[in-house]
Amino acid sequence: IIAVKPTMVSSNVRVELYAATGQQITYSIADAAGRILMTNKQAVQQGMSQVSVDVSRMPAGILYLQIQTQDGQRTVQKLMKQ
């Protein structure tokens, strides 16, 4: 994962990532209590990719965006939903 922008969010979060090979990523959003609110999968190309995650229907407060690649790399990013 290269970047997650913005971290203060009201509608969409943009995830920029680099993949050594084309693969499928899984991303999920959890609330502060750890409840999974959404899970999705998306194919990404080899090289730089951007994924847009819609959080507009999520409750306001702290959210956690977890991204996992097929090769087992996992990143968690804290977001503040307005």
Side-chain angles (χ1 to χ4, degrees), residues 6-13 53-58 80-82:
T7 56
M8 287 286 274
V9 63
S10 59
S11 58
N12 286 308
V13 176
V53 181
D54 181 8
V55 296
S56 63
R57 296 188 182 131
M58 303 292 163
M80 178 58 90
K81 169 70 167 57
Q82 300 174 334

Side-chain angles (χ1 to χ4, degrees), residues 18-73:
Y18 176 82
T21 62
Q23 59 184 293
Q24 189 170 57
I25 63 166
T26 302
Y27 60 89
S28 60
I29 298 206
D31 63 13
R35 291 182 296 255
I36 302 296
L37 304 175
M38 187 240 331
T39 299
N40 202 356
K41 293 183 179 187
Q42 184 164 336
V44 295
Q45 302 291 328
Q46 179 179 358
M48 291 298 296
S49 294
Q50 288 187 9
V51 176
S52 182
V53 181
D54 181 8
V55 296
S56 63
R57 296 188 182 131
M58 303 292 163
I62 296 173
L63 299 174
Y64 294 93
L65 171 63
Q66 176 178 292
I67 302 165
Q68 184 163 346
T69 63
Q70 279 183 314
D71 58 7
Q73 294 181 11

